[in-house]
Amino acid sequence: MTESRKFVFNKVNVTKNNDVEPLKYYLDLQETILDKLTRVIQSEYEALRDRMVARLAELSSAKSDLMLKLQSNDQKIKLHPDVDKLKTEFAANVLILKDKLKKCKFRNEVNGRLIVMNMQASNKLKAVLMEARDATTRNMTYNAKGSASAKGPSRLSISA
Protein backbone atom coordinates (compact mmCIF):
# COMPACT_ATOMS: atom_id res chain seq x y z
CA MET A 1 0.00 0.00 0.00
CA THR A 2 1.26 3.38 -0.95
CA GLU A 3 0.43 6.25 1.18
CA SER A 4 -0.02 9.50 -0.68
CA ARG A 5 1.20 12.53 1.07
CA LYS A 6 -0.39 15.83 0.38
CA PHE A 7 0.98 19.19 1.27
CA VAL A 8 -1.72 21.24 2.87
CA PHE A 9 -1.47 24.98 3.11
CA ASN A 10 -2.48 26.21 6.48
CA LYS A 11 -4.48 29.34 6.44
CA VAL A 12 -2.66 32.18 8.12
CA ASN A 13 -4.67 34.84 9.81
CA VAL A 14 -3.50 38.18 8.54
CA THR A 15 -4.11 40.91 11.03
CA LYS A 16 -4.08 44.55 10.20
CA ASN A 17 -0.87 46.15 11.41
CA ASN A 18 -1.85 48.65 14.07
CA ASP A 19 1.74 49.20 15.14
CA VAL A 20 2.12 52.25 12.93
CA GLU A 21 2.99 55.33 14.92
CA PRO A 22 1.63 58.76 14.03
CA LEU A 23 3.56 60.57 11.30
CA LYS A 24 4.64 63.28 13.77
CA TYR A 25 6.45 60.58 15.80
CA TYR A 26 8.59 59.59 12.80
CA LEU A 27 9.32 63.21 11.91
CA ASP A 28 10.43 63.94 15.49
CA LEU A 29 12.57 60.79 15.45
CA GLN A 30 14.14 61.93 12.19
CA GLU A 31 14.99 65.29 13.77
CA THR A 32 16.54 63.59 16.80
CA ILE A 33 18.68 61.36 14.57
CA LEU A 34 19.82 64.36 12.51
CA ASP A 35 20.75 66.26 15.70
CA LYS A 36 22.84 63.30 16.88
CA LEU A 37 24.43 63.01 13.43
CA THR A 38 25.34 66.70 13.51
CA ARG A 39 27.11 66.22 16.85
CA VAL A 40 28.99 63.14 15.59
CA ILE A 41 30.12 64.97 12.45
CA GLN A 42 31.29 67.92 14.57
CA SER A 43 33.22 65.52 16.82
CA GLU A 44 34.74 63.93 13.72
CA TYR A 45 35.85 67.37 12.53
CA GLU A 46 37.48 68.08 15.90
CA ALA A 47 39.22 64.69 15.87
CA LEU A 48 40.55 65.37 12.36
CA ARG A 49 41.65 68.87 13.31
CA ASP A 50 43.43 67.64 16.45
CA ARG A 51 44.78 64.53 14.66
CA MET A 52 43.16 62.13 17.12
CA VAL A 53 43.23 59.19 14.72
CA ALA A 54 42.21 56.60 17.32
CA ARG A 55 38.87 58.35 17.86
CA LEU A 56 37.99 58.42 14.15
CA ALA A 57 37.09 54.71 13.94
CA GLU A 58 34.59 55.05 16.80
CA LEU A 59 33.05 58.18 15.27
CA SER A 60 32.87 56.60 11.82
CA SER A 61 30.99 53.63 13.26
CA ALA A 62 28.56 55.90 15.11
CA LYS A 63 28.03 57.95 11.95
CA SER A 64 27.27 54.80 9.92
CA ASP A 65 24.77 53.59 12.52
CA LEU A 66 22.98 56.93 12.52
CA MET A 67 22.88 57.00 8.72
CA LEU A 68 21.25 53.55 8.69
CA LYS A 69 18.68 54.68 11.27
CA LEU A 70 18.02 57.79 9.20
CA GLN A 71 17.42 55.72 6.06
CA SER A 72 15.23 53.22 7.90
CA ASN A 73 13.09 55.95 9.43
CA ASP A 74 12.86 57.71 6.06
CA GLN A 75 11.50 54.49 4.56
CA LYS A 76 8.88 54.27 7.31
CA ILE A 77 7.83 57.83 6.55
CA LYS A 78 7.55 57.09 2.82
CA LEU A 79 5.35 54.05 3.50
CA HIS A 80 3.21 55.74 6.16
CA PRO A 81 -0.54 55.83 5.43
CA ASP A 82 -0.63 59.60 6.08
CA VAL A 83 2.32 60.41 3.81
CA ASP A 84 0.20 62.99 1.96
CA LYS A 85 0.21 65.19 5.06
CA LEU A 86 3.94 65.85 4.54
CA LYS A 87 3.06 68.43 1.88
CA THR A 88 0.37 70.15 3.93
CA GLU A 89 0.16 69.71 7.66
CA PHE A 90 3.83 68.83 8.20
CA ALA A 91 5.40 70.95 5.45
CA ALA A 92 7.26 73.15 7.97
CA ASN A 93 8.70 70.08 9.72
CA VAL A 94 9.86 68.67 6.39
CA LEU A 95 11.64 71.95 5.54
CA ILE A 96 13.45 71.92 8.89
CA LEU A 97 14.53 68.30 8.34
CA LYS A 98 15.74 69.02 4.81
CA ASP A 99 17.76 72.00 6.09
CA LYS A 100 19.38 69.92 8.84
CA LEU A 101 20.18 67.15 6.36
CA LYS A 102 21.74 69.70 3.98
CA LYS A 103 23.95 71.03 6.80
CA CYS A 104 25.01 67.49 7.75
CA LYS A 105 25.95 66.72 4.14
CA PHE A 106 27.99 69.93 3.86
CA ARG A 107 29.87 69.30 7.12
CA ASN A 108 30.49 65.71 6.10
CA GLU A 109 31.98 66.91 2.79
CA VAL A 110 34.26 69.29 4.70
CA ASN A 111 35.42 66.36 6.84
CA GLY A 112 36.03 64.33 3.68
CA ARG A 113 38.25 67.09 2.28
CA LEU A 114 40.13 67.24 5.60
CA ILE A 115 40.74 63.50 5.42
CA VAL A 116 42.16 63.85 1.89
CA MET A 117 44.37 66.76 2.96
CA ASN A 118 45.65 64.83 6.00
CA MET A 119 46.43 61.82 3.81
CA GLN A 120 48.32 64.01 1.34
CA ALA A 121 50.31 65.62 4.16
CA SER A 122 51.13 62.19 5.58
CA ASN A 123 52.29 60.96 2.17
CA LYS A 124 54.52 64.02 1.74
CA LEU A 125 56.03 63.50 5.18
CA LYS A 126 56.59 59.85 4.40
CA ALA A 127 58.36 60.76 1.15
CA VAL A 128 60.63 63.27 2.94
CA LEU A 129 61.50 60.75 5.65
CA MET A 130 62.25 58.04 3.10
CA GLU A 131 64.45 60.43 1.15
CA ALA A 132 66.33 61.36 4.32
CA ARG A 133 66.72 57.70 5.24
CA ASP A 134 67.94 56.82 1.76
CA ALA A 135 70.47 59.66 1.81
CA THR A 136 72.09 58.32 4.96
CA THR A 137 71.88 54.63 4.12
CA ARG A 138 73.30 54.87 0.59
CA ASN A 139 76.79 55.14 1.97
CA MET A 140 76.35 52.62 4.77
CA THR A 141 78.64 49.62 4.89
CA TYR A 142 78.89 46.85 7.41
CA ASN A 143 82.03 45.32 8.91
CA ALA A 144 82.62 41.64 9.76
CA LYS A 145 80.90 42.08 13.12
CA GLY A 146 77.75 43.57 11.52
CA SER A 147 78.31 47.10 12.72
CA ALA A 148 77.20 49.82 10.35
CA SER A 149 79.43 52.68 9.38
CA ALA A 150 79.13 55.41 6.81
CA LYS A 151 81.96 55.32 4.31
CA GLY A 152 82.48 56.54 0.84
CA PRO A 153 81.82 59.91 -0.68
CA SER A 154 79.72 62.25 1.38
CA ARG A 155 76.66 63.76 -0.20
CA LEU A 156 77.53 67.09 1.33
CA SER A 157 79.54 69.43 -0.80
CA ILE A 158 81.40 71.91 1.35
CA SER A 159 83.88 74.29 -0.17
CA ALA A 160 86.09 76.27 2.16
Side-chain angles (χ1 to χ4, degrees):
M1 259 180 21
T2 3
E3 196 178 309
S4 68
R5 294 184 176 198
K6 293 182 183 178
F7 183 76
V8 179
F9 287 98
N10 292 328
K11 195 171 190 179
V12 177
N13 291 331
V14 179
T15 58
K16 189 172 181 179
N17 188 359
N18 292 330
D19 295 341
V20 177
E21 298 287 341
L23 191 56
K24 178 76 170 130
Y25 169 82
Y26 294 112
L27 293 173
D28 290 344
L29 183 60
Q30 201 79 330
E31 187 170 11
T32 302
I33 295 169
L34 283 168
D35 289 340
K36 288 179 183 177
L37 185 60
T38 300
R39 287 192 297 272
V40 168
I41 290 173
Q42 180 60 35
S43 296
E44 183 183 53
Y45 171 80
E46 292 166 2
L48 286 166
R49 181 193 64 204
D50 300 339
R51 294 202 164 105
M52 298 182 339
V53 179
R55 189 143 188 261
L56 288 174
E58 167 196 336
L59 291 169
S60 178
S61 176
K63 188 168 68 169
S64 292
D65 290 345
L66 288 169
M67 292 298 291
L68 288 173
K69 287 178 184 177
L70 196 65
Q71 287 176 332
S72 172
N73 198 49
D74 188 56
Q75 196 64 23
K76 289 176 185 174
I77 291 171
K78 285 179 183 178
L79 299 174
H80 197 278
D82 298 331
V83 73
D84 295 337
K85 291 183 180 180
L86 291 176
K87 295 178 182 175
T88 57
E89 187 178 333
F90 298 111
N93 299 71
V94 171
L95 284 175
I96 291 169
L97 292 174
K98 285 183 177 181
D99 185 55
K100 287 185 178 199
L101 182 61
K102 186 177 177 181
K103 287 178 182 176
C104 282
K105 284 181 179 180
F106 175 76
R107 290 178 179 147
N108 197 43
E109 288 172 8
V110 168
N111 288 356
R113 287 192 294 265
L114 271 176
I115 289 170
V116 169
M117 287 171 43
N118 281 337
M119 288 173 60
Q120 289 172 342
S122 293
N123 288 338
K124 285 180 184 177
L125 178 61
K126 180 181 171 185
V128 167
L129 290 173
M130 287 176 66
E131 187 176 310
R133 179 201 65 197
D134 291 345
T136 59
T137 58
R138 267 190 207 124
N139 299 322
M140 295 293 269
T141 58
Y142 296 90
N143 62 18
K145 294 181 183 178
S147 299
S149 63
K151 293 189 177 178
S154 174
R155 294 186 55 98
L156 299 174
S157 61
I158 300 173
S159 55

